[in-house]
Amino acid sequence: MAHCHGPASGQGLCMPPTWEENPSCHMASVSICCCLFILFLFLSELTGFITTEVVNELYVDDPDKDSGGKIDVSLNISLPNLHCELVGLDIQDEMGRHEVGHIDNSMKIPLNNGVGCRFEGQFSINKVPGNFHVSTHSATAQPQNPDMTHIIHKLSFGDTLQVQNVHGAFNALGGADRLTSNPLASHDYILKIVPTVYEDKSGKQRYSYQYTVANKEYVAYSHTGRIIPAIWFRYDLSPITVKYTERRQPLYRFITTICAIIGGTFTVAGILDSCIFTASEAWKKIQLGKIH
């Protein structure tokens, strides 16, 4: 009810009802706030429900037992000051493999009008410690001063993983630039290879390998003189496997959470409404006491 202030003739100023007299307005405000709050939480939960989460775990095992004990390797390296007929790839390991001048699935691309060479190759290595190296060892005639300055464009193991949520060291040496190094120096890259598994929502698994790297550069000598330089990649395998798994929140959990949000919000809203109503009634009694 509105209050009118003025002379008895009825002419005067009428004031709108206060919140104490009309608590229904505040009940409506509480309801609107609750609905907005529920909408906000619903959208947050919906975003989490439709978003794929990638979780990782560590365990000790060989994840790819069907590989026959092999790891696929992809190497792309440029030697801008070494002729292609001198460039070769050699592979050695502790199982007795010793291959000089590997040529299968490899390609040599001349650079700088034939002065340099870009070597691209795909090959496999055994799952035992070993090394592969780019050198002139397979050349018919050894050069006097081979220039081993280089750029590594790519060195990766296993399948290529292009997943947005996974940022690993799958191509840790990609972009390594040694063009300003000593031309007569050898380069040692010490690799620790970590098996990696990626499992998508359908359960399909892809096997790849991450690796850490340390490197050194040196000029080697023996009792007969300076040793022909090479670019060595010495590797060992870690017993620890990293597994990434795609997961999505189950539907029943999403529904349960939404029901809990709605029920909980309206329960709190009822408590607030009751408190407001009680406070308004108490205020009315106080105001009436002042009038009388």
Side-chain angles (χ1 to χ4, degrees), residues 124-168:
S124 63
I125 57 176
N126 295 316
K127 292 183 178 180
V128 295
N131 74 80
F132 51 91
H133 52 276
V134 177
S135 68
T136 61
H137 298 163
S138 60
T140 54
Q142 293 297 315
Q144 289 295 321
N145 297 303
D147 188 335
M148 302 307 292
T149 54
H150 60 277
I151 298 177
I152 301 174
H153 306 288
K154 179 183 179 182
L155 176 61
S156 62
F157 301 86
D159 296 339
T160 300
L161 292 182
Q162 294 181 343
V163 183
Q164 184 178 3
N165 295 330
V166 175
H167 304 284

Side-chain angles (χ1 to χ4, degrees), residues 159-237:
D159 296 339
T160 300
L161 292 182
Q162 294 181 343
V163 183
Q164 184 178 3
N165 295 330
V166 175
H167 304 284
F170 297 98
N171 185 25
L173 277 175
D177 188 335
R178 300 293 183 268
L179 295 181
T180 58
S181 300
N182 184 344
L184 302 179
S186 289
H187 300 265
D188 262 16
Y189 295 99
I190 314 300
L191 313 178
K192 192 70 172 181
I193 301 175
V194 182
T196 304
V197 183
Y198 188 88
E199 182 177 321
D200 60 22
K201 295 188 295 293
S202 65
K204 180 182 178 181
Q205 292 185 340
R206 285 181 287 171
Y207 303 98
S208 188
Y209 296 85
Q210 304 181 64
Y211 62 92
T212 59
V213 59
N215 69 284
K216 63 179 179 179
E217 173 187 333
Y218 59 94
V219 178
Y221 291 90
S222 69
H223 63 279
T224 58
R226 181 170 51 82
I227 298 175
I228 297 175
I231 304 169
W232 299 82
F233 301 92
R234 308 181 191 273
Y235 62 87
D236 194 4
L237 273 77

Side-chain angles (χ1 to χ4, degrees), residues 15-283:
M15 302 298 292
T18 61
W19 70 271
E20 297 91 348
E21 297 171 325
N22 191 12
S24 61
C25 294
H26 292 272
M27 293 169 60
S29 300
V30 171
S31 298
I32 292 173
C33 291
C34 289
C35 291
L36 293 175
F37 184 65
I38 289 173
L39 179 62
F40 169 74
L41 293 181
F42 173 77
L43 293 177
S44 299
E45 287 296 323
L46 181 62
T47 302
F49 174 69
I50 63 178
T51 301
T52 300
E53 180 187 13
V54 177
V55 297
N56 61 78
E57 59 180 310
L58 303 177
Y59 61 91
V60 179
D61 194 11
D62 180 6
D64 191 9
K65 296 182 174 64
D66 298 328
S67 64
K70 302 286 187 180
I71 300 175
D72 294 328
V73 183
S74 179
L75 175 64
N76 189 329
I77 184 172
S78 291
L79 297 92
N81 299 309
L82 195 63
H83 294 282
C84 280
E85 59 267 20
L86 300 175
V87 176
L89 176 69
D90 309 327
I91 306 172
Q92 298 174 311
D93 63 35
E94 293 187 359
M95 291 182 65
R97 181 181 182 183
H98 189 180
E99 185 176 350
V100 178
H102 179 87
I103 59 175
D104 294 338
N105 299 319
S106 62
M107 177 172 53
K108 300 178 185 179
I109 304 172
L111 301 176
N112 304 329
N113 297 319
V115 176
C117 185
R118 179 167 179 157
F119 178 87
E120 299 179 9
Q122 287 79 39
F123 54 97
S124 63
I125 57 176
N126 295 316
K127 292 183 178 180
V128 295
N131 74 80
F132 51 91
H133 52 276
V134 177
S135 68
T136 61
H137 298 163
S138 60
T140 54
Q142 293 297 315
Q144 289 295 321
N145 297 303
D147 188 335
M148 302 307 292
T149 54
H150 60 277
I151 298 177
I152 301 174
H153 306 288
K154 179 183 179 182
L155 176 61
S156 62
F157 301 86
D159 296 339
T160 300
L161 292 182
Q162 294 181 343
V163 183
Q164 184 178 3
N165 295 330
V166 175
H167 304 284
F170 297 98
N171 185 25
L173 277 175
D177 188 335
R178 300 293 183 268
L179 295 181
T180 58
S181 300
N182 184 344
L184 302 179
S186 289
H187 300 265
D188 262 16
Y189 295 99
I190 314 300
L191 313 178
K192 192 70 172 181
I193 301 175
V194 182
T196 304
V197 183
Y198 188 88
E199 182 177 321
D200 60 22
K201 295 188 295 293
S202 65
K204 180 182 178 181
Q205 292 185 340
R206 285 181 287 171
Y207 303 98
S208 188
Y209 296 85
Q210 304 181 64
Y211 62 92
T212 59
V213 59
N215 69 284
K216 63 179 179 179
E217 173 187 333
Y218 59 94
V219 178
Y221 291 90
S222 69
H223 63 279
T224 58
R226 181 170 51 82
I227 298 175
I228 297 175
I231 304 169
W232 299 82
F233 301 92
R234 308 181 191 273
Y235 62 87
D236 194 4
L237 273 77
S238 169
I240 303 297
T241 295
V242 179
K243 183 178 182 180
Y244 298 98
T245 307
E246 288 184 353
R247 290 181 184 173
R248 179 172 288 177
Q249 181 181 347
L251 180 60
Y252 74 87
R253 185 177 299 172
F254 172 71
I255 295 175
T256 302
T257 303
I258 295 302
C259 291
I261 289 173
I262 295 173
T265 302
F266 278 110
T267 299
V268 174
I271 295 173
L272 290 176
D273 180 56
S274 176
C275 292
I276 291 174
F277 181 78
T278 303
S280 66
E281 290 298 315
W283 182 258

